[in-house]
Amino acid sequence: MTATHDKRYPGETDQYRQARSALLNAELELDQMVRKVAGMRRDLPPGGAVPQNYVFHTMENGAKADVRLSELFAPGKDTLFLYSYMYAPDATSPCPACTSLVDGFNGVADHVLDRVNMAVVAKAPIENFSALASDRGWSKLRFLSSSDNSYNDDYFAVNASGNQIPAANIFVKKDGEIRHFWGAELLYVERPGHPRHVDQIWPIWNILDLTPEGRGTDWFPSLNYGQ
């Protein structure tokens, strides 16, 4: 079945409308696939139980404190989105691309946190991570350091060479047990070009993909613009 409608933009040609109608049908097919994949994700069987109740470092009232994985689940919210941010212990600056993503997380945090728990974890010392968050104006997220635990290794936020890599993971707490629900595995599959493993939650690429220039092949976000 071919989808059609009677809306026309000012000044468009028949050639444009024909191409746009073909694109519309492709977009509809994509939308159907996105919905199907989301359903498959929701229907996943229980994932593996976490191997330990990880102890992270955080900052509370300006002081370093410890928080366990189980304590990241607020009452009444049994799902946790945990993003692994590329900020190595000895790095002088963090990953610009990850930074752009967390800029977005902070902007939508009120909405997300109304339904699920969310936190960002890095291998860098919590003092460094907290200072960065303050500089960026990230006031609505919880920031953690995995500097003294094996979370990054266990959930693939570090590669075989010991370099930090981004990772998005979802955990579910049920009947006092925490299990892994989903992880962005596209990053681990060799494909040409940008890995696109978390594109569905990354506004930059979704907007650029709508433009005639596209996302390009050699542009990535910057930590600071105009400097």
Side-chain angles (χ1 to χ4, degrees):
M1 179 179 177
T2 302
T4 60
H5 61 77
D6 61 1
K7 304 297 182 184
R8 298 293 180 267
Y9 295 108
E12 68 176 39
T13 63
D14 290 341
Q15 181 183 24
Y16 174 88
R17 178 45 47 190
Q18 291 173 2
R20 186 63 186 84
S21 295
L23 178 60
L24 172 61
N25 281 274
E27 290 172 336
L28 284 170
E29 291 179 6
L30 176 61
D31 177 68
Q32 292 169 356
M33 180 57 69
V34 168
R35 292 169 186 260
K36 178 181 178 180
V37 170
M40 293 172 65
R41 191 180 297 117
R42 290 191 298 270
D43 291 340
L44 284 169
V50 297
Q52 59 179 290
N53 194 9
Y54 298 100
V55 178
F56 298 97
H57 300 310
T58 189
M59 296 294 284
E60 294 181 356
N61 300 318
K64 183 177 178 179
D66 291 342
V67 60
R68 292 186 177 274
L69 179 67
S70 59
E71 296 173 318
L72 300 177
F73 293 83
K77 290 189 284 189
D78 298 330
T79 299
L80 169 66
F81 172 79
L82 194 52
Y83 180 74
S84 293
Y85 184 86
M86 293 177 63
Y87 193 7
D90 57 351
T92 57
S93 62
C95 169
C98 285
T99 301
S100 75
L101 191 53
V102 178
D103 282 339
F105 290 165
N106 190 72
V108 299
D110 285 339
H111 306 292
V112 175
L113 291 169
D114 193 53
R115 297 201 51 168
V116 302
N117 305 286
M118 178 167 61
V120 182
V121 58
K123 203 68 176 175
I126 190 58
E127 295 87 351
N128 295 6
F129 200 10
S130 180
L132 170 68
S134 179
D135 289 343
R136 300 292 302 186
W138 295 336
S139 60
K140 299 181 179 180
L141 297 168
R142 190 164 200 174
F143 296 95
L144 312 169
S145 172
S146 57
S147 59
D148 291 330
N149 68 37
S150 62
Y151 175 80
N152 285 46
D153 294 286
D154 295 342
Y155 288 96
F156 310 124
V158 61
N159 64 20
S161 300
N163 297 317
Q164 305 299 301
I165 56 176
N169 286 285
I170 305 288
F171 297 91
V172 174
K173 185 178 182 181
K174 185 176 181 181
D175 299 326
E177 183 179 52
I178 302 174
R179 288 184 173 273
H180 186 247
F181 172 74
W182 174 86
E185 296 184 12
L186 284 173
L187 183 63
Y188 317 122
V189 180
E190 291 190 11
R191 294 167 298 147
H194 190 281
R196 300 174 182 245
H197 66 293
V198 289
D199 276 20
Q200 66 267 44
I201 56 173
W202 206 333
I204 290 176
W205 306 123
N206 285 283
I207 291 174
L208 292 180
D209 279 345
L210 298 176
T211 70
E213 296 85 3
R215 65 178 65 188
T217 58
D218 57 359
W219 181 89
F220 285 92
S222 172
L223 276 177
N224 298 292
Y225 291 95
Q227 295 186 9

